[in-house]
Amino acid sequence: MPTAARVLVIEDAEAIAAAVGSALREAGYRVLLRPDGRDLEAELVRFRPDLVVLDVMLPGRDGFALLEVVRRACDAGVVMLTARDGVADRLRGLDRGADDYLGKPFALAELVARVSAVLRRLGRTPSTVRVGDLVVDADSAVVLRGGVPVELTATELRLLRYLASQRGRVVGKARILTAVWGYEDYDPNLVEVHVSALRRKLEEHGPRLLHTVRGLGYVLRAEDA
């Protein structure tokens, strides 16, 4: 299995940092959380992030100053987070080298999707995942089972991408809700309905890959894994 991409999150709001860190870890990334940029230069050398999630409104040096540090020190991708949603602030960050910009409040699923997209553009994470005879290409949104294309809805594709990123791991409904829909307060039956639909489509072309682990959740794995 390829080495997980490393994501450094600099966010001073503890609840937001914890939620972002959890969502990124569940998506398969190695995550380091920091409340400010006091030791950023050292962390860039020590942790060697593939991407930095960077809040703008920080104590001490703000996100724009830290963005300049990142750009001087390494070629990590940068996704900026801020309550500022004005065009001028977005352009300022992008002009200084940010790869993407997300205003608060935001859905965790959208943040994970943006992080994944930047990492793919930078070539820091494989776009293609294989599980048995299943191939999921995140870049082209192509799903093949035994070489045969599988037609999925947009939601089914997001669900499969997440399960593929967690291949071999059992993931519960709450984690799936957060990662795929961005919230935890949906009816868990929503997960069951989409998992059932996805499973039916996958099994039209081969044996079962999407398994239910009673009382725990779901896991995507080949029978011989």
Side-chain angles (χ1 to χ4, degrees):
M1 187 178 297
T3 302
R6 296 178 295 274
V7 180
L8 171 62
V9 178
I10 305 178
E11 166 62 66
D12 63 324
E14 186 175 344
I16 294 176
V20 169
S22 178
L24 290 171
R25 290 188 184 100
E26 289 174 4
Y29 300 117
R30 292 176 56 191
V31 179
L32 178 65
L33 301 178
R34 288 293 180 264
D36 53 51
R38 283 180 295 178
D39 300 317
L40 178 59
E41 290 83 355
E43 294 293 4
L44 293 174
V45 174
R46 182 165 49 242
F47 187 59
R48 294 179 293 110
D50 296 293
L51 183 139
V52 180
V53 175
L54 181 59
D55 188 25
V56 169
M57 303 297 290
L58 291 167
R61 293 181 293 180
D62 68 12
F64 296 120
L66 297 181
L67 174 60
E68 294 180 359
V69 172
V70 174
R71 284 290 162 257
R72 289 196 303 266
C74 66
D75 59 354
V78 176
V79 175
M80 301 193 76
L81 303 178
T82 182
R84 295 177 175 174
D85 57 1
V87 174
D89 283 321
R90 291 201 301 272
L91 291 178
R92 183 182 178 190
L94 295 171
D95 286 346
R96 294 189 179 194
D99 296 279
D100 206 347
Y101 207 109
L102 190 59
K104 299 177 182 177
F106 54 84
L108 291 172
E110 182 179 4
L111 172 62
V112 171
R114 288 174 180 258
V115 166
S116 299
V118 171
L119 287 169
R120 287 197 301 271
R121 289 201 301 268
L122 296 175
R124 306 297 176 83
T125 186
S127 66
T128 301
V129 175
R130 297 176 182 272
V131 182
D133 64 350
L134 174 69
V135 177
V136 182
D137 190 320
D139 282 347
S140 61
V142 170
V143 177
L144 301 175
R145 184 79 203 272
V148 179
V150 181
E151 298 296 329
L152 302 178
T153 66
T155 300
E156 290 166 353
L157 181 59
R158 289 200 309 272
L159 174 59
L160 181 57
R161 282 173 172 169
Y162 175 67
L163 293 170
S165 75
Q166 301 296 304
R167 56 200 178 280
R169 303 186 185 104
V170 178
V171 288
K173 293 178 183 177
R175 290 176 61 186
I176 294 173
L177 282 168
T178 299
V180 177
W181 282 272
Y183 301 95
E184 296 181 357
D185 56 352
Y186 279 99
D187 185 341
N189 289 332
L190 184 69
V191 176
E192 294 179 8
V193 169
H194 283 86
V195 165
S196 296
L198 176 59
R199 179 182 284 147
R200 283 196 302 272
K201 290 183 179 182
L202 294 179
E203 291 181 8
E204 289 176 0
H205 306 285
R208 176 158 296 189
L209 290 175
L210 181 48
H211 306 272
T212 300
V213 181
R214 190 173 299 277
L216 295 177
Y218 305 98
V219 58
L220 188 70
R221 66 170 176 239
E223 293 288 359
D224 57 354

